[in-house]
Amino acid sequence: MLLYYMDVSELDFNRIKSSVSKTRIKKSSRYFHKKDRNLSVGVEVLLNHALDKIGISNPIFDTGEYGKPYLKNYSDIHFNLSHSEKYVACAVSDSPVGVDIEYVQDIDLSLAKYFFYGTEYGYILNNNNQKKAFFELWVLKESYMKMTGLGFRLALDEFCIQVSDQIELIHRKNTGNFGLWNICGGDYMLGVCSQSRITEPVLINLQDIENVIGD
């Protein structure tokens, strides 16, 4: 597995536009705010960087039945993308994978009461840092939902994530391994779920990618 994340707040569109698809450029142009355009373009820049590491330089993207993107010309390679605030994240694996990155911000914790499993809500209430606990569960649950390919068609309270010394899936067949990290000085939470072995996330420097593209 390759698990990367990257700050795209200083992305130079003119330097990297040749490295992303026309579809991505068109999609990003719909966003009014520069931050959202950077996230949209930056996440494909990071994906292409990861694919290049495994020798894929001609990806053809398509989407599955429920909207999950995949590589049409490399059916044995799986990937997933996420972004939040200033950062994008990308996971590439030889088996289905889901990744989620979230900015740890103030949030109405009652959301967990109504949408999470009861024991998950209890985990949050009994934690000294309830906000951090909420986002731990959120990224783990969303990464699992994305790994299955169902996304939010799989309800948040249809399964339970148990966080202790090990991260376990409860009330559904355990078909994935989980990874969880508090990154960027504690400001972001990153979660991943895959049927393959989980590896540590690697911070990629955007400027390094831009320099290679610009050469």
Side-chain angles (χ1 to χ4, degrees):
M1 171 185 287
L2 297 177
L3 182 58
Y4 294 157
Y5 65 104
M6 181 172 71
D7 182 347
V8 295
S9 58
E10 301 299 324
L11 183 144
D12 186 338
F13 178 75
N14 289 324
R15 295 189 70 184
I16 57 83
K17 63 182 180 181
S18 63
S19 69
V20 295
S21 63
K22 293 180 180 178
T23 300
R24 178 64 62 170
I25 293 175
K26 183 178 179 180
K27 180 180 179 180
S28 67
S29 68
R30 299 171 187 158
Y31 294 108
F32 179 77
H33 296 290
K34 180 176 183 292
K35 181 188 80 171
D36 296 323
R37 292 196 298 271
N38 283 0
L39 290 171
S40 178
V41 172
V43 77
E44 187 170 304
V45 171
L46 184 61
L47 171 61
N48 287 337
H49 174 73
L51 293 176
D52 187 65
K53 291 294 184 182
I54 57 174
I56 297 177
S57 58
N58 60 334
I60 300 175
F61 300 113
D62 206 343
T63 54
E65 179 181 0
Y66 298 113
K68 185 177 182 180
Y70 69 94
L71 289 174
K72 195 172 183 178
N73 54 338
Y74 289 92
S75 60
D76 57 336
I77 300 297
H78 302 259
F79 72 91
N80 200 233
L81 310 171
S82 181
H83 57 71
S84 180
E85 202 61 28
K86 297 196 306 181
Y87 279 82
V88 297
C90 168
V92 176
S93 177
D94 59 2
S95 69
V97 62
V99 66
D100 189 46
I101 187 170
E102 298 290 341
Y103 178 61
V104 179
Q105 58 188 309
D106 291 334
I107 194 166
D108 182 359
L109 295 175
S110 67
L111 289 171
K113 180 178 180 180
Y114 295 108
F115 296 106
F116 283 12
Y117 222 85
T119 51
E120 293 171 332
Y121 185 55
Y123 171 77
I124 294 171
L125 292 182
N126 294 323
N127 201 291
N128 291 331
N129 189 334
Q130 294 182 350
K131 181 169 64 174
K132 177 174 175 288
F134 174 90
F135 281 101
E136 285 178 350
L137 288 170
W138 183 269
V139 299
L140 289 170
K141 289 176 78 71
E142 187 162 344
S143 67
Y144 173 73
M145 293 156 67
K146 293 171 76 176
M147 188 273 290
T148 66
L150 294 173
F152 280 95
R153 290 170 180 80
L154 175 61
L156 286 163
D157 61 357
E158 283 189 38
F159 63 99
C160 176
I161 300 290
Q162 181 175 291
V163 181
S164 56
D165 292 339
Q166 290 186 330
I167 302 170
E168 296 181 302
L169 177 68
I170 311 296
H171 305 302
R172 274 183 83 88
K173 184 179 179 181
N174 196 347
T175 56
N177 304 306
F178 291 93
L180 176 68
W181 299 269
N182 202 187
I183 58 175
C184 308
D187 289 340
Y188 289 79
M189 197 71 66
L190 177 65
V192 65
C193 180
S194 176
Q195 296 173 11
S196 299
R197 184 177 66 88
I198 303 295
T199 59
E200 293 285 326
V202 175
L203 175 63
I204 302 299
N205 189 320
L206 172 63
Q207 188 174 12
D208 291 343
I209 296 179
E210 289 180 339
N211 288 341
V212 171
I213 294 171
D215 289 344

